[in-house]
Amino acid sequence: MSQRTYNELWAEAQVELSRLLVDEVPPQPIPPEKDRVLFFQRVAMLYVRYLQIFRQLEKVYDQVVQPQKRRLILYTLESVMGRVLELRNEMVEKELCEYHYMDDVLHDLKLTPADLEIPIPHYFLSERSQATEENATMLTNILQAVETTGMQKRAIKGMSQDEAIRIIQVAERARQGRLRAALNEASRRLSKIPMAEAPEPADMDRAAIRIQKVWRGYVERKKTKAARIEDMTFLGMIPHPKYQAPCEAIITARANEMAIRQRQKEHQDDYQKAVMEITSQLIEVEGQDIGNNLKEQIRQWFIECRNLTGVFPDFPDEDEGGSAILFAEKDYQLVVKEMEENEEDDKNKKGKGNDKKDAKKSKEKDAEEEDGLVMLPSAFLADLEMCNKTYADFWETRTESRNFNQRHEVELIKEEKRVDILSEIRIKVDEDMRQELADWRLAVEKTPAKVYKKKKAGKRDKKKKKKGEKDLTPDRTLASLCQEMVEEGLLRQVKPVQMQDYIGDFNYLGTTLRRNDIEPMPSMADVRQIVSLYGILPLGSQVVHQKAPFIKAILLAGPPGVGKKMLVHAVCQETGATLFDLSPLNIAGKYPGKSGLTMMLHLVFKVARLMQPAVILIDGAEKMFYKKVPKEEKALEPKRLKKDLPKALKLIKEEDRVLVIGTSKDPISADIKSMCKMYTKVILIPRPDYGSRFILWKQLIEKHGGKITSALDLSSLSKISDGYTPGFMIQAIQQVITKRRLLLQDKRPLTAIEFVAPLAKFTPVFQDQEEALKKWYAKTPLGKKRAKAAAEREEALQALNKTKAAPKKGKGKGKGKK
């Protein structure tokens, strides 16, 4: 598509965003909503609409080449991503559940379930900083070097000449035996063939008729099959073989997208050079005049204040805004009053911050319960309003007929840089004017200048440094730390899987089941969406990670084979994150003792911060919180990290894009209280439903080279594989679809019965195991809150029914007495 098309798509997204902002920030505040269902529908509607804007802006940012437009689009895109996360958090807080079903909202907006998929921005990988790219290259080289040396160590030991001769003899005797058996079988077949007699004419006629009958039947069946396939292909029920491989149009479109991305880099480089040139030019031409004008204005302010009060004023500190607050259309008295209030606030803040926050939270909660449900405050709405205003002011009505190549706009650069230059010059001018004010005071009033708050700020910085984590490896380079961690197995190679490879269908009956008070099990598409929201979006964007709801650790709980570790690798692959492995079985015997454990955690979290984004995997997370350690695992010390890892997690700040992901196939064996204290989000991954199994069989068989024909009954295969997870399905497919079986496909197509025997070797996930997982999930903090809210609603409903029935009973008694 052309740049004009993407500009129109951007305009459509901005129009929808302006409508949403009108709904979210109306002139009059929205009254609290007492009906929980109506409130959820309102939030769900906003969530789905923001998600569509997110998808449009991601597409626009990926293909627009004008650098100044891309800056604004990126800022808007990150704000929309943050708002999507906030609305998701709002739904979780109000509905007390991680999975949500919005069938009615999709129906109202005329959308499909596919429109709920979370788009993963391309710039997460393509626009990484140069330092991040260098670190990734360094880590790849280290991993390859260690893998090569490991393979050399595992090389096969040399054998003696006698052993080699013995192996060759065994192989040769086996080959001769197979040949002898084949010759004997051929001779037996020849001996059984009877001698042919001369056929009679009548027999020849009957044979000809039979051959004709068979041939005509074969031809008609072939025509019928071709017509049926043609009809099914026209209806879209069978993929056309022509469109299975990418056609020329798709290949051309992909090549055009790559060419546009290359143009983006060229235009961005030109823009950066132009910014530097224009900035230096503006400083040379206008810098001195700007400084002189500022000094004159500040001197005039000194004189006016002395004429009003009889003394020279106190000059605002740099932390308070410096001379910028003097020209904000305020009187001298207002400026002085604000400075005094700021000083008093700084004094009163010590020791009272936490109490005020707790009191405020409790008051907000009580008010919400009494009045109704209210939206939580947003950190992104102000940014979205600013982006929308910037678009309306600069780009909505701007004509670009002369900028066909979509190069940067010089005048816009000058307007932006004048503001930056003014702030830089203001800092220098403020220093000069403070000194000038001190000289005036000494000369006229014989009093020294006021001492500002710089000393206090210095003390605060020292306190912060004392509280920070002590660096145990100050003299070591990042490369040496990575080398050590790779050799110890704490740094892992990320597998090349993407989030779209986690195959699964949507849950089409979620809303219907919840209306009938039946809690539906989430589908694999729901799991894919929630992991993208909680894992990929915050790790991919620094702005989103700092301002969106903060998530430090996620627990993926589910039976073996549902794809928990695959999701972890997909998160790392989509965001370019570094993968660390702190699984209890992986760290067994490494860094022994208390000091060794401290050093290991220090290394992992230090390198994770330096090479962020980073993911710390804890496979077998339940082992850290065992209620009772099994005898066979006592020597491995699985509970080694139980105390120290939560302490290390507390040191992760909002600016650190580090995420801990735990996977557990047996969470019931762990202490749920300790586990949920560490993991802020618990995501339950169940066995796949029928729709997901159907798609899994189809796509996995095709991925391994199999052909889907009418002989392969996928519906029956999906039905009988109930309880089997994708991991078991993949192993069964690998056992059936061998190289030899692929060669025989044309003569003997694949059938469902071939997959039954390999699948029967595995133990499926039974219904009682899934129910046990559901009961365990109900004991998590979120599950307890949901159960409590359901009990309260039930009590309220019973009380309402009693009040309705009470007057009728009173009337009946009165009539009897009369």
Side-chain angles (χ1 to χ4, degrees):
M1 291 192 290
S2 64
Q3 292 297 303
R4 181 179 177 182
T5 307
Y6 289 113
N7 287 333
E8 291 173 357
L9 189 61
W10 183 26
E12 291 175 9
Q14 288 293 151
V15 169
E16 180 65 16
L17 180 60
S18 61
R19 290 174 187 160
L20 273 175
L21 290 173
V22 170
D23 293 342
E24 285 221 75
V25 194
Q28 306 251 333
I30 301 171
E33 180 62 61
K34 293 185 178 180
D35 190 344
R36 190 174 289 271
V37 176
L38 290 176
F39 182 82
F40 174 76
Q41 285 182 345
R42 178 173 176 270
V43 177
M45 181 71 75
L46 291 173
Y47 172 79
V48 174
R49 290 173 68 186
Y50 269 113
L51 200 55
Q52 305 317 306
I53 295 173
F54 175 20
R55 183 173 284 103
Q56 286 179 310
L57 288 177
E58 194 278 324
K59 191 184 295 183
V60 170
Y61 182 73
D62 186 42
Q63 293 297 307
V64 166
V65 298
Q66 215 276 354
Q68 289 152 309
K69 287 181 184 177
R70 296 187 81 243
R71 287 181 64 195
L72 179 60
I73 295 169
L74 177 60
Y75 195 26
T76 313
L77 175 60
E78 290 179 331
S79 302
V80 169
M81 281 194 286
R83 188 60 186 147
V84 166
L85 287 173
E86 284 181 340
L87 291 170
R88 185 75 182 200
N89 183 61
E90 188 86 39
M91 291 192 285
V92 172
E93 291 290 331
K94 298 302 186 291
E95 204 178 28
L96 302 174
C97 184
E98 293 290 354
Y99 296 101
H100 309 284
Y101 305 99
M102 294 165 272
D103 309 342
D104 46 355
V105 177
L106 292 176
H107 184 266
D108 293 342
L109 295 174
K110 294 181 174 58
L111 299 173
T112 63
D115 293 314
L116 288 178
E117 284 289 345
I118 308 298
I120 298 168
H122 186 268
Y123 80 90
F124 282 175
L125 292 176
S126 63
E127 295 187 11
R128 292 192 294 179
S129 63
Q130 188 176 357
T132 307
E133 290 285 350
E134 291 173 358
N135 289 338
T137 306
M138 174 198 68
L139 181 59
T140 305
N141 294 335
I142 292 172
L143 285 165
Q144 289 176 352
V146 171
E147 187 179 355
T148 305
T149 54
M151 289 174 66
Q152 290 174 356
K153 289 178 182 177
R154 292 193 301 269
I156 299 172
K157 296 180 181 178
M159 63 176 68
S160 63
Q161 188 176 1
D162 294 338
E163 289 175 347
I165 291 170
R166 196 176 298 114
I167 291 171
I168 293 170
Q169 286 176 343
V170 169
E172 178 60 23
R173 286 167 186 163
R175 187 186 70 81
Q176 290 178 5
R178 286 193 294 272
L179 282 174
R180 235 179 271 116
L183 288 170
N184 292 336
E185 182 66 23
S187 63
R188 277 196 299 271
R189 286 177 183 171
L190 286 172
S191 63
K192 289 180 182 179
I193 297 174
M195 296 296 292
E197 297 179 359
E200 296 181 3
D203 294 336
M204 292 179 68
D205 294 339
R206 283 198 297 271
I209 292 169
R210 182 171 294 179
I211 291 169
Q212 289 173 359
K213 188 191 293 183
V214 171
W215 173 251
R216 287 169 182 168
Y218 167 75
V219 170
E220 290 300 322
R221 283 193 299 274
K222 191 174 180 181
K223 288 179 181 177
T224 306
K225 185 179 178 182
R228 184 172 178 272
I229 290 173
E230 187 179 353
D231 293 342
M232 297 286 278
T233 306
F234 176 75
L235 295 172
M237 299 178 72
I238 295 177
H240 198 287
K242 179 182 175 182
Y243 302 116
Q244 287 180 357
C247 59
E248 289 185 13
I250 295 175
I251 294 170
T252 306
R254 289 175 183 170
N256 290 338
E257 288 179 359
M258 295 300 294
I260 287 173
R261 292 189 186 114
Q262 186 61 35
R263 280 177 61 198
Q264 284 176 355
K265 292 179 182 177
E266 295 172 1
H267 287 202
Q268 184 65 25
D269 294 340
D270 294 344
Y271 172 70
Q272 295 295 340
K273 292 176 184 175
V275 166
M276 295 174 65
E277 292 173 1
I278 291 170
T279 304
S280 58
Q281 185 180 358
L282 286 174
I283 290 172
E284 289 177 5
V285 176
E286 303 178 7
Q288 191 170 0
D289 294 337
I290 292 171
N292 293 334
N293 291 335
L294 282 174
K295 287 180 180 179
E296 287 299 324
Q297 290 174 3
I298 294 169
R299 288 192 190 104
Q300 187 66 29
W301 185 73
F302 290 162
I303 295 167
E304 289 177 1
C305 293
R306 178 168 171 77
N307 293 336
L308 286 171
T309 60
V311 292
F312 285 112
D314 293 329
F315 199 85
D317 191 22
E318 187 178 339
D319 297 336
E320 296 170 348
S323 61
I325 65 170
L326 304 179
F327 308 107
E329 298 180 2
K330 295 178 183 177
D331 298 334
Y332 167 73
Q333 286 83 1
L334 286 174
V335 174
V336 172
K337 189 177 179 182
E338 283 186 5
M339 291 167 64
E340 289 175 355
E341 285 176 358
N342 290 335
E343 289 177 6
E344 288 177 5
D345 290 341
D346 290 338
K347 291 176 183 177
N348 295 331
K349 273 181 184 177
K350 294 178 180 178
K352 295 182 181 179
N354 294 330
D355 298 336
K356 286 183 180 178
K357 284 180 183 177
D358 295 338
K360 189 178 179 183
K361 281 183 182 177
S362 61
K363 282 181 183 178
E364 285 177 358
K365 194 173 181 181
D366 295 338
E368 185 178 303
E369 289 175 357
E370 290 176 5
D371 301 334
L373 299 171
V374 186
M375 297 274 282
L376 296 171
S378 171
F380 292 96
L381 277 178
D383 296 339
L384 286 171
E385 287 181 322
M386 189 186 73
C387 292
N388 195 42
K389 186 177 182 304
T390 306
Y391 171 79
D393 293 344
F394 288 100
W395 297 107
E396 188 175 13
T397 57
R398 196 176 191 88
T399 57
E400 297 183 281
S401 56
R402 296 183 180 179
N403 190 10
F404 180 76
N405 292 324
Q406 292 291 294
R407 296 282 179 178
H408 54 267
E409 298 274 355
V410 176
E411 292 302 320
L412 285 179
I413 297 175
K414 287 183 178 179
E415 289 177 13
E416 292 174 3
K417 287 297 148 188
R418 280 194 181 101
V419 178
D420 297 338
I421 290 168
L422 179 63
S423 59
E424 290 177 8
I425 293 174
R426 189 185 294 281
I427 294 170
K428 298 176 183 178
V429 168
D430 287 354
E431 292 175 2
D432 297 340
M433 297 312 294
R434 284 191 189 97
Q435 186 60 42
E436 190 171 325
L437 178 62
D439 296 339
W440 285 15
R441 278 185 167 175
L442 284 173
V444 179
E445 299 175 357
K446 310 296 183 184
T447 55
K450 180 183 175 182
V451 179
Y452 297 101
K453 298 178 185 176
K454 287 186 179 179
K455 292 183 181 177
K456 293 181 183 178
K459 287 180 183 177
R460 286 176 193 166
D461 293 339
K462 286 179 183 177
K463 286 181 183 177
K464 284 181 183 177
K465 285 181 182 177
K466 286 180 183 177
K467 288 182 182 178
E469 186 185 5
K470 185 181 178 183
D471 192 358
L472 302 178
T473 54
D475 301 328
R476 294 187 60 181
T477 61
L478 179 61
S480 66
L481 295 175
C482 290
Q483 180 78 28
E484 179 183 340
M485 294 178 71
V486 170
E487 290 173 356
E488 293 291 339
L490 300 178
L491 252 174
R492 297 283 187 184
Q493 181 73 45
V494 178
K495 293 179 182 177
V497 292
Q498 294 180 328
M499 192 57 72
Q500 64 184 9
D501 297 332
Y502 190 77
I503 306 164
D505 201 6
F506 302 93
N507 191 340
Y508 298 98
L509 297 175
T511 305
T512 308
L513 291 172
R514 278 197 173 164
R515 282 175 183 167
N516 295 314
D517 295 330
I518 301 171
E519 184 60 30
M521 290 300 285
S523 66
M524 297 182 75
D526 298 328
V527 174
R528 187 170 62 236
Q529 290 171 18
I530 202 168
V531 172
S532 299
L533 282 170
Y534 291 157
I536 293 178
L537 296 188
L539 282 178
S541 171
Q542 184 72 38
V543 175
V544 174
H545 192 273
Q546 286 183 347
K547 299 170 76 174
F550 190 29
I551 299 171
K552 291 184 180 180
I554 300 172
L555 178 65
L556 305 177
V562 292
K564 298 182 289 294
K565 279 190 277 190
M566 178 187 177
L567 286 170
V568 176
H569 285 276
V571 169
C572 297
Q573 184 70 26
E574 298 285 7
T575 59
T578 313
L579 180 62
F580 299 84
D581 191 354
L582 281 181
S583 306
L585 296 181
N586 185 49
I587 64 171
K590 298 173 184 176
Y591 296 94
K594 180 71 178 173
S595 59
L597 182 62
T598 306
M599 176 59 75
M600 180 179 67
L601 287 174
H602 169 74
L603 286 175
V604 168
F605 281 90
K606 178 182 177 180
V607 177
R609 287 190 189 94
L610 292 172
M611 300 187 68
Q612 57 180 292
V615 171
I616 300 173
L617 168 65
I618 302 175
D619 187 25
E622 75 279 357
K623 298 180 187 297
M624 280 176 56
F625 305 99
Y626 267 146
K627 296 173 186 174
K628 186 179 179 181
V629 181
K631 289 182 181 179
E632 61 271 14
E633 293 186 20
K634 279 186 178 178
L636 302 175
E637 296 181 291
K639 299 175 74 171
R640 201 174 158 205
L641 292 172
K642 184 178 179 180
K643 293 181 180 178
D644 294 320
L645 187 58
K647 291 178 184 176
L649 269 177
K650 290 179 182 178
L651 298 174
I652 296 178
K653 300 175 183 176
E654 293 180 354
E655 59 266 19
D656 300 327
R657 285 188 290 162
V658 179
L659 180 66
V660 176
I661 303 181
T663 62
S664 175
K665 62 182 178 183
D666 185 22
I668 302 169
S669 62
D671 179 21
I672 191 168
K673 188 177 180 182
S674 305
M675 183 183 277
C676 293
K677 202 172 180 181
M678 176 176 160
Y679 294 100
T680 51
K681 291 288 182 183
V682 179
I683 300 173
L684 184 64
I685 307 177
R687 57 185 185 171
D689 55 6
Y690 171 80
S692 296
R693 291 196 302 274
F694 188 92
I695 295 175
L696 277 165
W697 280 118
K698 183 176 182 298
Q699 296 198 15
L700 289 174
I701 288 172
E702 289 177 344
K703 186 177 179 181
H704 285 79
K707 293 179 181 178
I708 307 296
T709 61
S710 57
L712 180 57
D713 190 355
L714 286 177
S715 180
S716 300
L717 187 59
S718 304
K719 194 71 177 172
I720 63 173
S721 59
D722 186 15
Y724 290 95
T725 56
F728 297 152
M729 293 181 187
I730 291 171
Q731 292 183 52
I733 289 169
Q734 288 173 347
Q735 291 180 29
V736 173
I737 305 180
T738 58
K739 289 182 179 179
R740 185 172 180 275
R741 187 67 185 87
L742 288 174
L743 295 173
L744 297 173
Q745 272 191 111
D746 296 332
K747 296 179 181 177
R748 187 161 56 90
L750 289 169
T751 58
I753 197 68
E754 295 181 65
F755 298 94
V756 174
L759 201 63
K761 296 177 184 177
F762 306 105
T763 305
V765 181
F766 295 105
Q767 187 68 32
D768 55 348
Q769 293 175 305
E770 193 169 88
E771 290 298 325
L773 269 177
K774 287 177 75 173
K775 288 178 182 176
W776 171 85
Y777 187 73
K779 295 176 184 176
T780 60
L782 196 64
K784 286 181 179 178
K785 288 179 183 177
R786 185 171 177 79
K788 185 181 177 183
E792 288 174 355
R793 284 198 297 271
E794 189 68 26
E795 289 175 5
L797 189 61
Q798 288 177 2
L800 185 63
N801 291 335
K802 284 180 182 178
T803 53
K804 285 181 179 179
K808 292 180 182 179
K809 289 180 181 178
K811 286 179 183 178
K813 287 178 183 177
K815 285 181 182 178
K817 285 179 183 178
K818 285 179 182 178

